[in-house]
Amino acid sequence: MSEIIFESHSPICDISAVIEADDSTYYMYLMTAPETGVKLLRALWVCNRRPAPETFDPQCMKDGKAPMLPKENLAPIHPAAGITLNPDKLSCYWYDSGDSAAIFYGDKLLCAIPPYAGLHDFPGFSVFAKGQTRYAWGMPETPAFAERAKGLKTFWENIEADDSWPEIQDECLRVIEEFYGSKHEKYYAIDGGQFPPKALAQGRKNGVIYGITLGVSQFAMPRSEMVFGSHYDDCNRIELGFAAQERHEPLTQMMFSVISDVANMPWNEQNFLWHGHTFDFPNIKGFSQIVLINPVYIEGMECPKWRKFIGNRVNLLWLVPITSDEFAALREIGIAELLKKCPDPQHLHIFDGKPKFSL
């Protein structure tokens, strides 16, 4: 008989972290919330509750039980007789992407399923494991990992503090208005009154209307650390924007509404958005998709200049409508080659009602 002895829900993703006990083991699981249909996302052995077997016993899995780790894979601190955890001493600190978590026992790091878990069958770390198995890896010997995990508590305390959003809001508006060269014209809350707060500021310059988000970059995007590896500091945070010539001003309200939905995509879908990604959007006559464009990859393309957020670069992704032919070319040759077919790449992000690429 198994029992969930601890549970914590992510503040920004539809994911729960639980510690489950049976008669032989404790395991940490990341799973979707029951109201949306439980789906197991990650599993991590935490410790054995009774004496370990000499070798791994595959029969337990055939019997539908979570496997114990054998003696050779137990850290020296794991008691030979097994461990009994006190649920009252367990606490959970979520990573800033909201899709992964670290579990503490008192003030000590017990186990963690970090954002890059799942890569090459890596399950996560347990302080009671030794070596590398498909069920748990031993905790890293360098202190950096544990220090990062402990820092998560401070991150959430700061981000949920009453003065956090006003400070982020003011800084983002300063950067956006510096880009516009004037005060913003309109301000839209795009968070539906829910945490985390997000907004969009509209402005204009040189005959172009812009809408740029603020607050989306408070959190890292799920899976970005897994995909970008050591470069994730430059690729895990985004803001979103749309630009159109003034004669297309009626279109901007629809696109700002689209942006409010796209701003939730990474955490609703537990995935990341990046340069060259697309989604279907047939709501503009003559166009069929939206492609996301990052000015980092296009020399001379305009972009607000945000400061780094917690040491991470903030990237702008422009929403650019493309035709069905342009989308077909993108699928065939990729975004880098497609950009070579744009006669005016510096202004690719400004909607003018015409196709952007010479095919």
Side-chain angles (χ1 to χ4, degrees):
M1 180 71 71
S2 61
E3 175 189 9
I4 293 177
I5 65 166
F6 175 82
E7 183 172 5
S8 173
H9 191 71
S10 168
I12 54 175
C13 290
D14 185 24
I15 297 177
S16 292
V18 305
I19 300 294
E20 185 176 272
D22 62 17
D23 60 351
S24 300
T25 62
Y26 291 100
Y27 268 76
M28 175 185 177
Y29 297 108
L30 295 182
M31 57 182 65
T32 56
E35 53 267 25
T36 58
V38 175
K39 178 183 177 183
L40 183 62
L41 304 175
R42 298 276 182 263
L44 173 68
W45 175 92
V46 179
C47 58
N48 292 339
R49 299 191 69 187
R50 57 187 179 85
E54 292 293 335
T55 59
F56 178 74
D57 178 16
Q59 183 60 43
C60 64
M61 298 190 68
K62 295 178 182 179
D63 296 337
K65 297 180 180 179
M68 300 174 71
L69 281 196
K71 288 182 178 180
E72 65 176 345
N73 295 119
L74 299 186
I77 63 171
H78 194 299
I83 298 172
T84 298
L85 297 177
N86 180 350
D88 294 335
K89 292 186 176 182
L90 294 168
S91 59
C92 179
Y93 302 159
W94 289 89
Y95 281 82
D96 58 356
S97 52
D99 64 334
S100 45
I103 303 294
F104 281 73
Y105 194 67
D107 61 354
K108 303 293 185 181
L109 178 60
L110 177 66
C111 60
I113 300 178
Y116 47 91
L119 187 65
H120 306 307
D121 292 327
F122 163 59
F125 299 110
S126 170
V127 71
F128 292 116
K130 182 175 70 175
Q132 299 178 0
T133 75
R134 61 180 298 186
Y135 306 103
W137 286 20
M139 199 65 71
E141 295 181 0
T142 58
F145 181 82
E147 289 172 0
R148 179 185 178 188
K150 289 180 179 179
L152 299 175
K153 180 181 181 181
T154 302
F155 170 80
W156 287 104
E157 287 175 347
N158 290 342
I159 213 76
E160 293 175 339
D162 291 341
D163 59 352
S164 174
W165 174 240
E167 290 179 1
I168 292 172
Q169 184 183 46
D170 288 349
E171 172 61 13
C172 286
L173 282 176
R174 181 193 67 78
V175 172
I176 291 171
E177 290 176 346
E178 185 178 86
F179 172 75
Y180 292 157
S182 62
K183 292 288 186 181
H184 65 281
E185 296 178 347
K186 295 180 181 179
Y187 179 94
Y188 304 94
I190 59 172
D191 50 36
Q194 302 295 314
F195 180 84
K198 296 187 289 287
L200 181 145
Q202 176 183 317
R204 72 181 70 209
K205 66 175 179 178
N206 301 327
V208 176
I209 299 175
Y210 298 84
I212 298 173
T213 61
L214 46 155
V216 181
S217 59
Q218 295 176 83
F219 303 100
M221 292 183 291
R223 295 193 72 244
S224 57
E225 188 167 350
M226 180 188 295
V227 172
F228 294 109
S230 60
H231 301 291
Y232 84 97
D233 283 355
D234 286 334
C235 307
N236 62 355
R237 298 181 190 275
I238 60 167
E239 297 291 347
L240 301 166
F242 179 73
Q245 293 177 346
E246 286 181 331
R247 62 191 179 94
H248 293 289
E249 185 165 359
L251 174 65
T252 59
Q253 294 306 305
M254 177 178 68
M255 292 305 299
F256 295 165
S257 178
V258 172
I259 284 177
S260 71
D261 292 333
V262 177
N264 293 318
M265 274 187 184
W267 299 277
N268 286 347
E269 300 180 9
Q270 284 101 61
N271 212 335
F272 69 102
L273 297 173
W274 198 241
H275 179 68
H277 287 188
T278 63
F279 57 90
D280 293 341
F281 193 74
N283 301 52
I284 303 174
K285 186 177 180 179
F287 297 84
S288 62
Q289 268 83 21
I290 298 290
V291 63
L292 303 177
I293 296 296
N294 188 336
V296 166
Y297 297 101
I298 301 177
E299 185 177 356
M301 179 177 280
E302 60 183 353
C303 177
K305 306 300 181 185
W306 288 280
R307 297 175 182 172
K308 286 190 173 183
F309 189 85
I310 317 180
N312 302 160
R313 186 179 73 195
V314 177
N315 297 271
L316 179 65
L317 298 180
W318 291 112
L319 277 69
V320 178
I322 57 174
T323 67
S324 57
D325 288 342
E326 290 172 326
F327 177 62
L330 172 60
R331 294 187 65 182
E332 180 179 353
I333 63 177
I335 188 63
E337 290 300 315
L338 183 63
L339 287 174
K340 296 176 182 179
K341 298 180 180 295
C342 180
D344 186 14
Q346 287 79 14
H347 300 100
L348 167 63
H349 61 296
I350 300 174
F351 182 79
D352 59 4
K354 303 173 184 177
K356 293 294 185 180
F357 302 96
S358 299
L359 303 177

